[in-house]
Amino acid sequence: MNVKKLISIIAVAGIFVATAFGVYVYFKAFTPNTQFSQNEVYVYIPSNSNYEQVTEIVKPLIKDFEKFDFVATSRNYSTNVKAGKFLLKKDMTSFDIVRSLRLNVPVQVAFNNQETLDKLFQRLATQLEPDTLALNEAFTNEAFFQENGLTKETALTLFIPNTYEFYWNTSASKIAAKMAKEHKKFWTNERLEKAKALNMTPAQVYTLASIVHKETVKADERPRVAGAYLNRINQDMPLQADPTVIYAIKEKSGDFDQVIKRVGGSNLFVSSPYNTYINKGLPPGPIAMPDISAIDAVLNAEKHNYIYFCADPSRPGYHSFETTYEAHLVNAKKYADWVNKLGIKL
């Protein structure tokens, strides 16, 4: 056999082997390899996971694990696992799956209307990897309190209800740092100046806003309610805010899940620093997480002479405002008659 013929044979054999290998690789890497019916599925890879732990998570979603393993190993994923939230789509190839497992998907984290830090941490723990214990440690340690001018009672004032973007596997300490940064960003010079004009700190504004928020769901009425409360403070009157009584009852019992539709009688005298019927001034901290509209309602409170207000049965959700106690009693009786008719008991 001459040399030219031998070279030709070797070349043809090489082409055949290369083609066969190419087909093999294509079959392994570029054919659909999922076995879920949904169009999209998210998988969560915990921090510090190894490849074996990842395989346990993704195996139920993959049709042929050997194909996936081939690509993961050849693309060095098996030795370089990423933690986070990842998106897999129906009929993805093994190549696409491995690529997606390297693309951490941001999580839109939302929270509002939480009454306590515990409730807030429970909410965050359903959206992010850190559990309630880790979040509690990150947000309530003494160093964090001192750095951000917080106490146990005012810790909730750090949180401005909004939607924030995190990676699912963000550590608790980084979440805390982000919230502190967002808090400082929210309290612009303009807002700080308005708080100063009210002779209040941001934490005090937030605390009053939490009462305003609980008092009315109507954003357009909140500046008027805030103005009435500020008038009481300026006249050295107790706030006498029903929402603080409800909070005091819940806080004292430790049961924040109970529903209290009406307060009165002996409830008004529950012994608690949060009860503004028996204590003048603001409570030691917020009774809930107020909306931004409630915070800005305090900062931009309506200027008027109203001292008293009572729920208005003729306009559900709104209140009737008065400057005198005598006029207020008339409105209060109308409201009492209305709730009695509804059968709402103390």
Side-chain angles (χ1 to χ4, degrees):
M1 184 181 293
N2 60 43
V3 174
K4 285 185 178 181
K5 188 174 182 180
L6 179 62
I7 292 174
S8 296
I9 293 172
I10 292 173
V12 170
I15 292 171
F16 177 79
V17 170
T19 301
F21 182 74
V23 170
Y24 174 79
V25 170
Y26 179 84
F27 175 73
K28 292 283 191 181
F30 299 105
T31 54
N33 195 25
T34 62
Q35 62 173 1
F36 49 86
S37 58
Q38 306 96 312
N39 290 326
E40 297 181 346
V41 170
Y42 287 102
V43 296
Y44 297 84
I45 309 298
S47 297
N48 304 314
S49 294
N50 57 34
Y51 182 59
E52 288 72 26
Q53 291 167 319
V54 172
T55 60
E56 291 302 312
I57 294 171
V58 301
K59 257 186 179 180
L61 306 172
I62 293 175
K63 186 184 297 182
D64 187 333
F65 180 75
E66 192 273 332
K67 289 183 183 179
F68 168 80
D69 185 56
F70 171 81
V71 176
T73 301
S74 63
R75 289 180 56 78
N76 300 317
Y77 175 79
S78 58
T79 56
N80 189 23
V81 168
K82 304 291 184 183
K85 176 184 178 181
F86 304 96
L87 173 64
L88 302 185
K89 296 183 178 181
K90 186 179 180 180
D91 294 331
M92 267 186 165
T93 66
S94 297
F95 183 88
D96 290 333
I97 293 171
V98 171
R99 182 173 58 184
S100 289
L101 289 175
R102 285 177 164 145
L103 299 174
N104 202 352
V105 178
V107 178
Q108 300 299 311
V109 176
F111 51 82
N112 57 15
N113 299 333
Q114 307 303 313
E115 290 182 308
T116 67
L117 281 179
D118 288 343
K119 290 286 188 182
L120 172 61
F121 295 153
Q122 290 171 23
R123 170 79 172 159
L124 291 176
T126 65
Q127 301 176 75
L128 298 166
E129 181 182 24
D131 61 19
T132 56
L133 292 177
L135 291 166
N136 186 69
E137 171 57 30
F139 280 99
T140 64
N141 67 79
E142 195 56 39
F144 186 77
F145 276 176
Q146 290 184 3
E147 183 180 348
N148 293 283
L150 300 169
T151 64
K152 182 180 178 181
E153 290 76 21
T154 63
L156 199 63
T157 67
L158 179 77
F159 298 89
I160 306 301
N162 214 328
T163 300
Y164 300 97
E165 187 173 275
F166 290 95
Y167 287 113
W168 175 78
N169 58 311
T170 302
S171 68
S173 60
K174 287 185 178 179
I175 295 170
K178 168 81 169 175
M179 288 295 94
K181 182 179 179 181
E182 292 294 332
H183 178 270
K184 289 173 184 173
K185 186 189 297 184
F186 175 82
W187 284 101
T188 60
N189 287 335
E190 181 183 3
R191 284 192 171 106
L192 290 172
E193 285 300 316
K194 288 180 178 180
K196 186 177 179 181
L198 295 173
N199 197 29
M200 300 174 80
T201 65
Q204 289 172 324
V205 169
Y206 191 104
T207 297
L208 181 55
S210 72
I211 299 173
V212 172
H213 175 100
K214 284 290 188 178
E215 192 68 68
T216 178
V217 297
K218 303 296 185 181
D220 60 330
E221 189 185 57
R222 285 174 174 168
R224 179 165 292 189
V225 171
Y229 279 134
L230 288 170
N231 286 344
R232 294 182 192 181
I233 290 173
N234 292 334
Q235 294 186 33
D236 198 31
M237 293 174 60
L239 289 179
Q240 294 187 331
D242 288 357
T244 67
V245 176
I246 293 173
Y247 183 88
I249 294 170
K250 291 182 176 182
E251 194 264 345
K252 194 166 186 177
S253 67
D255 179 9
F256 280 90
D257 294 321
Q258 63 181 300
V259 177
I260 302 172
K261 294 183 178 180
R262 188 178 179 184
V263 297
S266 61
N267 284 345
L268 298 179
F269 302 98
V270 60
S271 178
S272 168
Y274 288 92
N275 184 354
T276 59
Y277 272 83
I278 62 174
N279 300 291
K280 285 185 179 180
L282 293 167
I287 61 170
M289 183 182 292
D291 288 346
I292 290 175
S293 69
I295 298 172
D296 283 338
V298 174
L299 294 174
N300 300 282
E302 187 178 304
K303 296 187 185 304
H304 53 62
N305 296 321
Y306 295 128
I307 297 291
Y308 307 99
F309 57 92
C310 179
D312 185 350
S314 67
R315 294 190 309 150
Y318 285 95
H319 296 76
S320 297
F321 293 80
E322 296 293 347
T323 58
T324 67
Y325 185 60
E326 292 73 22
H328 169 66
L329 288 178
V330 174
N331 291 331
K333 186 177 185 308
K334 288 180 184 177
Y335 176 70
D337 291 343
W338 180 68
V339 293
N340 286 335
K341 215 178 264 189
L342 293 177
I344 300 174
K345 307 290 185 182
L346 286 173

